[in-house]
Amino acid sequence: MVKKLVFIGMLLCTLSWGAKSQEVLKTDTVRSELQPDFVEEIGDSTDLVVAGDGTANWFISLSGGVNSLAAEANRLYDNFIDRSRMSFRLGVGKWFTPVWGFRVQMGVGKLSGHSLPLNYYNIYDQMADHSTMPDEMLPYLSEKDGTTWFHRKFTYMDWSVNLMTDAVRWFVKEKQPVGVILFAGPGFSHSFGSQGLSASNSFAFNAGIQLNVNVHKHWDIFAEFQGNIVDETFDSQIGGTPNERNRPLEGYAGLTVGVAYKFGGRKFTRYAKVHPVTYESIRNIQPPTVIEKPQAVPEDMVTAFAVRFFIDQYNIEDDQKLNIDRMARYLKSHPEARLELVGYADKETAYPEYNMKLSQRRVNAVRDYLVKECKIDPSRLITDAKGDTQRVYNEDYRWNRAVVMKVVENDK
């Protein structure tokens, strides 16, 4: 009964931890027909960061090291280090935010420890009398300080599902080269039969800490200490020290080092919270232009306009088409004029190579709209893409998700 209560308690703790990880998705975020993701609010510093689609933030890890058994009375015979044996772990997981993720892992290795052969030797055998010592155990009996000890050696395999959190990102907003990962979750352990003792199965609880170092866009190296709590029968024995209460749980723990490969890199999309009441007013705010107006401007002269885009998007929203239509009317009334289209992307999101392609797509989208919808001769359009190499707006980095339209040739 005690063992069941312990496992139920650990499982409830894990579930509550998982529920907490969902708190980043607040109920006051807004979705719209024109923008399928979270809406941005200009100047808001309460950005949300979520994982992208596809392979982004999926990873696979492989590590090796040592494990040590903590069972029965073996701590009275030798220490934790002397009982250490080789172990290996394979994990697959995904980071949903820079703070929270999950992992499924499998471990395999050997365990070793000395115990006192008391009443029960092989609790899973088919004999009615479980205190009968199998002949295969006899070569592993030894004497120490007048006491007979049994040297238990066996191979194990385990599986676990971990909830992971990067403790460093609790305190800093930006990406760090070093992470301290805490993880915990339920699992299952299996010990293979050996030395005349039968195989055993046990529910488990896995937890630990990982020091993770990012060395490349796709590669991390890490050192990890983790342990598993299992049932007392994990090593196919029930035993302890004489005249002492027998503990209901055993365990094993160890240190491994390894590498992790991130399939799509570590990329997250940044969004901002906005209250529904302010949504419509925020959507139509235009950033100030950095291009100075001449002192004397003809009444119908158009200097420059910006077509704004949402994060990681290059489709033109309906409200932004108004500026393009206005520029098209000017071109039609001034046949000698030409129009320069320069695309930009904000430096704080994604990588330079990606942002250059994104800014080019935005320019192409505006050009295609002018040609196909507004019937402007493509020879009158000059296009260029700057990616994140230049900023047209310094007030807020998000304003740089734009294509700036400027009249560059006018005989009048």
Side-chain angles (χ1 to χ4, degrees), residues 329-343:
R329 289 194 297 271
Y330 181 84
L331 292 175
K332 291 177 179 179
S333 62
H334 297 79
E336 75 286 357
R338 301 178 71 196
L339 189 65
E340 180 186 58
L341 308 174
V342 183

Side-chain angles (χ1 to χ4, degrees), residues 279-342:
Y279 167 61
E280 289 299 333
S281 60
I282 291 169
R283 271 191 48 77
N284 297 314
I285 292 178
Q286 293 292 325
T289 179
V290 298
I291 303 173
E292 296 183 0
K293 288 186 177 181
Q295 294 298 324
V297 180
E299 183 177 353
D300 61 347
M301 171 64 76
V302 178
T303 57
F305 285 102
V307 181
R308 296 186 61 215
F309 295 86
F310 286 110
I311 185 172
D312 198 30
Q313 300 292 321
Y314 57 89
N315 57 298
I316 305 173
E317 304 294 336
D318 287 347
D319 59 329
Q320 299 301 308
K321 293 177 181 178
L322 299 177
N323 284 342
I324 306 177
D325 292 337
R326 181 177 181 181
M327 200 60 94
R329 289 194 297 271
Y330 181 84
L331 292 175
K332 291 177 179 179
S333 62
H334 297 79
E336 75 286 357
R338 301 178 71 196
L339 189 65
E340 180 186 58
L341 308 174
V342 183

Side-chain angles (χ1 to χ4, degrees), residues 111-396:
L111 291 171
S112 173
H114 288 80
S115 60
L116 295 170
L118 300 177
N119 295 328
Y120 293 94
Y121 302 102
N122 190 16
I123 64 171
Y124 294 116
D125 64 7
Q126 302 300 317
M127 304 296 293
D129 183 5
H130 297 289
S131 63
T132 300
M133 182 178 293
D135 293 337
E136 292 88 341
M137 288 180 61
L138 298 180
Y140 299 95
L141 298 179
S142 62
E143 295 286 334
K144 182 179 179 181
D145 298 330
T147 303
T148 300
W149 293 83
F150 171 56
H151 188 189
R152 179 73 170 112
K153 297 189 294 184
F154 61 96
T155 302
Y156 75 92
M157 179 179 288
D158 61 36
W159 301 265
S160 62
V161 179
N162 294 145
L163 179 67
M164 308 175 67
T165 180
D166 188 345
V168 173
R169 298 301 294 270
W170 295 351
F171 308 101
V172 295
K173 184 177 180 180
E174 301 303 324
K175 178 182 178 181
Q176 302 298 312
V178 178
V180 178
I181 314 299
L182 307 178
F183 57 89
F188 183 80
S189 295
H190 173 80
S191 64
F192 295 90
S194 65
Q195 300 171 292
L197 301 182
S198 304
S200 173
N201 298 304
S202 171
F203 287 107
F205 182 78
N206 174 271
I209 183 171
Q210 178 189 109
L211 179 65
N212 186 88
V213 180
N214 176 234
V215 295
H216 183 266
K217 175 184 176 181
H218 290 288
W219 291 97
D220 291 343
I221 59 175
F222 62 88
E224 184 173 270
F225 178 83
Q226 64 175 290
N228 285 271
I229 299 175
V230 293
D231 189 87
E232 182 196 8
T233 60
F234 175 64
D235 63 351
S236 302
Q237 289 183 288
I238 295 179
T241 56
N243 303 319
E244 291 187 13
R245 182 179 178 182
N246 191 43
R247 61 187 181 189
L249 298 175
E250 296 177 353
Y252 55 98
L255 177 68
T256 58
V257 294
V259 296
Y261 178 77
K262 298 166 289 186
F263 291 99
R266 191 85 179 269
K267 299 178 183 178
F268 296 93
T269 304
R270 188 182 299 274
Y271 301 106
K273 294 185 297 182
V274 58
H275 195 276
V277 174
T278 63
Y279 167 61
E280 289 299 333
S281 60
I282 291 169
R283 271 191 48 77
N284 297 314
I285 292 178
Q286 293 292 325
T289 179
V290 298
I291 303 173
E292 296 183 0
K293 288 186 177 181
Q295 294 298 324
V297 180
E299 183 177 353
D300 61 347
M301 171 64 76
V302 178
T303 57
F305 285 102
V307 181
R308 296 186 61 215
F309 295 86
F310 286 110
I311 185 172
D312 198 30
Q313 300 292 321
Y314 57 89
N315 57 298
I316 305 173
E317 304 294 336
D318 287 347
D319 59 329
Q320 299 301 308
K321 293 177 181 178
L322 299 177
N323 284 342
I324 306 177
D325 292 337
R326 181 177 181 181
M327 200 60 94
R329 289 194 297 271
Y330 181 84
L331 292 175
K332 291 177 179 179
S333 62
H334 297 79
E336 75 286 357
R338 301 178 71 196
L339 189 65
E340 180 186 58
L341 308 174
V342 183
Y344 299 89
D346 68 283
K347 189 175 183 179
E348 284 73 9
T349 305
Y351 300 92
E353 297 83 358
Y354 181 84
N355 285 336
M356 181 61 71
K357 295 179 181 178
L358 179 60
S359 64
Q360 185 64 60
R361 295 189 184 103
R362 289 169 173 169
V363 170
N364 293 342
V366 177
R367 180 200 61 198
D368 292 345
Y369 183 84
L370 284 165
V371 173
K372 297 177 181 179
E373 302 297 331
C374 302
K375 309 304 179 184
I376 301 298
D377 187 345
S379 64
R380 302 177 65 187
L381 304 177
I382 305 171
T383 61
D384 191 12
K386 301 295 186 182
D388 58 19
T389 60
Q390 296 183 18
R391 285 181 177 232
V392 67
Y393 303 113
N394 293 318
E395 292 85 353
D396 191 302

Side-chain angles (χ1 to χ4, degrees), residues 49 78 168:
V49 184
D78 50 16
V168 173

